[in-house]
């Protein structure tokens, strides 16, 4: 596809917006797509993919352009810098640059010469502090993981079994020129190979599916849910996993979805209505009493705790620029506190799933082992560790199934 001048100018503007780190890239994308309804499917796809790649590879691109001052922070980016980054990205992708003045001085030989001296963390385009931490925690396999995290995310949907099935959804989407294929081992999961206007489709409007990574879809399944159970999703957010739990419950039983942000719960309510999920009750966590009042009331507890998001950098490439070392250290303290306090909501004989979208052991297995050491009446039943580039083609997720035993 030949990008138009207007499309490239929008791309330049979007990169400048995202580089300030004042808002996340997905919000910038949404603004520009809404402002350009006349763009074709191909133009929309080019805009989104290219913007995310420019953010993803910003360290590498700036080094290749000889802009060492921007390698560790692109917050000082100006319009010329943004044009040059796009030009370098285009050349490194093996494409020819259009004859426009903004990129007329660029050539691939100069860029490759500069990159020949780049350190590995720059070539991986990871923040230096994150590269150092990940190498300490993960060892040599980190480079393999980092390369996988730099690949654009694929798109998956979870078919809502309360309203439809995979074959029906696949057929419905095909009528609207959206191509999907089944995913082995995940009967209600479809991989989207041709996006189109997915969220304008009849199937989406009727609540027949939700966009959810195939890795994320495996977390709720760890809960071993049976219809009629009492379940709590204690860090529900906008409710992707709550909706999955409601489907596994077959709308029989009780699902309490908790969060500290009312606006997220409001979004969940809207999604639940569209999905026909009638067992979901939302509640704002106002203080510690909200949790204490639910002591030993649930058969299943999901703790999808706040985390670094390092497992989903393919999907949110700008997240690594919003993070810093202290953020992760603070999150680890918070995770430990949530696991200790919120676990009291599980009844004896019940199960708790501790989950993150991180690939760092300090947020995953190490947290679980520390909890078990301090709480001998709990046992580890199962662990799921999905690591991009190692054992998974999906996003990175961790889940631990813990069983609460009778100590009497």
């Amino acid at each position: 596809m030949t990008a138009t001048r207007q499309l490239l100018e929008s791309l330049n503007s979007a990169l400048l917006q995202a580089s300030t780190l004042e808002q996340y890239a997905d919000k910038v994308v949404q603004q520009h797509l809404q402002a350009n309804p006349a763009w074709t499917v191909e133009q929309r796809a080019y805009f989104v993919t290219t913007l995310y790649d420019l953010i993803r590879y910003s360290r590498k691109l700036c080094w290749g352009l000889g802009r060492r001052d921007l390698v560790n922070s692109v917050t000082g980016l100006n319009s010329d810098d943004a044009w040059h980054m796009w030009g370098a990205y285009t050349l490194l992708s093996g494409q020819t640059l259009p004859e426009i003045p903004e990129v007329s001085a660029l050539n691939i030989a100069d860029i490759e010469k500069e990159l020949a001296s780049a350190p590995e963390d720059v070539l991986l385009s990871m923040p230096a502090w994150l590269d150092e931490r990940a190498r300490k925690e993960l060892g040599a396999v980190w480079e393999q993981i980092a390369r996988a995290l730099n690949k654009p995310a694929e798109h998956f949907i979870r078919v809502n079994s309360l309203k439809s099935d995979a074959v029906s959804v696949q057929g419905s989407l095909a009528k609207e020129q959206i191509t999907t294929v089944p995913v082995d081992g995940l009967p209600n999961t479809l991989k989207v190979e041709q996006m189109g206007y997915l969220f304008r489709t009849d199937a989406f409007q009727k609540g027949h599916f939700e966009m959810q990574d195939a890795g994320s879809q495996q977390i709720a399944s760890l809960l071993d849910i049976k219809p009629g159970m009492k379940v709590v999703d204690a860090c529900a957010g906008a409710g992707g996993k709550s909706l999955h739990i409601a489907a596994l419950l077959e709308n029989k039983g009780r699902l309490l979805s908790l969060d500290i942000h009312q606006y997220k719960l409001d979004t969940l309510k809207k999604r639940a209505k569209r999905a026909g999920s009638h067992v979901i009750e939302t509640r704002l966590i106002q203080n510690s009493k909200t949790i204490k009042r639910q002591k030993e009331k649930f058969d299943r507890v999901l703790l999808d705790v706040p985390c670094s998001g390092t497992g989903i950098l393919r999907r949110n490439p700008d997240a690594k620029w919003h993070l810093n070392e202290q953020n992760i250290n603070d999150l680890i303290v918070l995770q430990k506190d949530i696991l200790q306090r919120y676990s009291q909501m599980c009844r004896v004989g019940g199960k708790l799933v501790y989950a993150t979208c991180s690939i760092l052991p300090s947020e995953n297995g190490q947290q679980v082992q520390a909890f078990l050491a301090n709480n001998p009446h709990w046992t580890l039943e199962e662990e799921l560790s999905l690591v991009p580039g190692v054992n998974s083609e999906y996003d990175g997720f961790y889940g631990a199934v813990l069983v609460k035993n009778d100590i009497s």
Side-chain angles (χ1 to χ4, degrees):
M1 186 206 78
T2 302
T4 65
R5 176 76 194 192
Q6 185 271 333
L7 177 58
L8 292 178
E9 288 178 347
S10 293
L11 188 60
N12 184 277
S13 173
L15 180 56
L16 289 175
Q17 279 180 265
S19 71
T20 65
L21 302 181
E22 292 178 0
Q23 55 185 329
Y24 281 90
D26 62 335
K27 301 299 182 185
V28 175
V29 165
Q30 188 177 19
Q31 291 168 16
H32 282 266
L33 293 182
Q34 290 176 345
N36 294 279
W39 281 353
T40 64
V41 171
E42 292 78 12
Q43 288 174 319
R44 293 164 66 91
Y46 177 83
F47 175 84
V48 175
T49 300
T50 306
L51 177 61
Y52 279 160
D53 273 354
L54 291 172
I55 294 169
R56 183 177 284 117
Y57 294 111
S58 60
R59 289 197 82 198
K60 179 179 178 180
L61 293 171
C62 289
W63 189 286
L65 291 165
R67 292 300 304 273
R68 305 292 193 269
D69 57 315
L70 294 173
V71 166
N72 292 320
S73 175
V74 293
T75 53
L77 211 64
N78 60 40
S79 182
D80 287 342
D81 297 325
W83 276 110
H84 291 164
M85 286 175 66
W86 171 79
Y89 166 78
T90 302
L91 289 172
L92 288 169
S93 301
Q95 302 171 54
T96 303
L97 289 174
E99 294 183 4
I100 55 176
E102 289 86 352
V103 293
S104 60
L106 298 181
N107 68 79
I108 188 65
D110 290 343
I111 295 168
E112 289 180 338
K113 183 179 179 181
E114 290 285 349
L115 288 175
S117 65
E120 191 62 34
D121 61 307
V122 169
L123 293 176
L124 293 174
S125 209
M126 291 289 173
W129 69 267
L130 178 57
D131 181 78
E132 181 181 357
R133 180 169 192 142
R135 288 177 190 276
K136 287 179 180 177
E137 293 202 28
L138 295 160
V141 75
W142 161 241
E143 290 186 13
Q144 186 177 329
I145 297 169
R147 291 189 185 96
L149 290 173
N150 276 332
K151 294 179 180 178
E154 295 180 311
H155 302 286
F156 297 88
I157 60 176
R158 180 185 58 77
V159 174
N160 178 14
S161 56
L162 294 175
K163 287 192 169 186
S164 191
D165 59 79
V167 173
S168 299
V169 169
Q170 192 173 19
S172 175
L173 292 177
K175 292 177 182 178
E176 300 187 56
Q177 288 72 56
I178 296 174
T179 306
T180 60
V181 294
V183 176
D184 289 343
L186 299 173
N188 289 317
T189 307
L190 295 172
K191 179 181 175 181
V192 184
E193 295 196 327
Q194 179 73 34
M195 278 289 285
Y197 295 99
L198 188 63
F199 299 112
R200 299 183 192 176
T201 61
D202 185 60
F204 180 74
Q205 297 299 326
K206 290 181 177 178
H208 290 184
F209 70 84
E210 290 285 339
M211 179 74 83
Q212 187 178 10
D213 182 75
S216 175
Q217 292 184 42
Q218 296 180 52
I219 297 300
S221 299
L222 291 174
L223 288 163
D224 185 28
I225 287 172
K226 304 292 190 298
M229 281 184 169
K230 296 179 180 179
V231 185
V232 59
D233 182 359
C235 308
K241 294 181 181 67
S242 282
L243 295 172
H244 192 185
I245 292 169
L248 293 172
L249 283 169
E250 299 176 6
N251 262 343
K252 300 169 185 174
R254 181 194 180 202
L255 171 55
L256 179 62
S257 297
L258 303 171
D259 202 82
I260 61 172
H261 300 292
Q262 185 62 51
Y263 75 93
K264 292 184 178 181
L265 294 175
D266 291 341
T267 299
L268 169 54
K269 288 178 184 178
K270 294 176 183 177
R271 296 175 73 187
K273 182 177 181 181
R274 185 178 65 240
S277 302
H278 306 309
V279 294
I280 297 177
E281 173 193 349
T282 62
R283 186 174 303 175
L284 183 69
I285 300 174
Q286 296 180 314
N287 50 51
S288 60
K289 291 181 181 178
T290 306
I291 305 302
K292 290 179 180 178
R293 292 190 185 110
Q294 306 303 321
K295 186 175 182 178
E296 297 189 347
K297 288 188 176 181
F298 296 94
D299 305 300
R300 299 289 186 267
V301 177
L302 174 60
L303 300 182
D304 184 18
V305 298
C307 71
S308 63
T310 47
I312 56 174
L313 291 180
R314 298 186 312 161
R315 202 164 303 282
N316 302 307
D318 60 320
K320 60 188 176 185
W321 309 123
H322 288 268
L323 271 177
N324 60 51
E325 186 97 42
Q326 189 59 50
N327 291 154
I328 294 184
N329 292 336
D330 290 344
L331 283 166
I332 289 172
V333 173
L334 177 61
Q335 292 159 2
K336 181 178 181 180
D337 177 63
I338 290 175
L339 181 52
Q340 185 63 48
R341 291 192 299 114
Y342 288 29
S343 59
Q344 68 181 300
M345 292 189 286
C346 188
R347 67 168 179 80
V348 173
K351 295 182 180 181
L352 176 152
V353 169
Y354 171 87
T356 77
C357 54
S358 170
I359 47 91
L360 296 175
S362 56
E363 297 183 84
N364 297 335
Q366 291 176 20
Q367 288 281 34
V368 170
Q369 290 305 316
F371 174 77
L372 293 173
N374 292 321
N375 297 273
H377 56 294
W378 285 86
T379 54
L380 175 63
E381 180 179 86
E382 180 185 356
E383 275 184 297
L384 171 72
S385 183
L386 300 175
V387 184
V390 176
N391 66 356
S392 176
E393 59 186 294
Y394 314 131
D395 287 343
F397 282 91
Y398 173 83
V401 182
L402 304 175
V403 179
K404 189 174 184 177
N405 305 302
D406 190 349
I407 56 174
S408 59

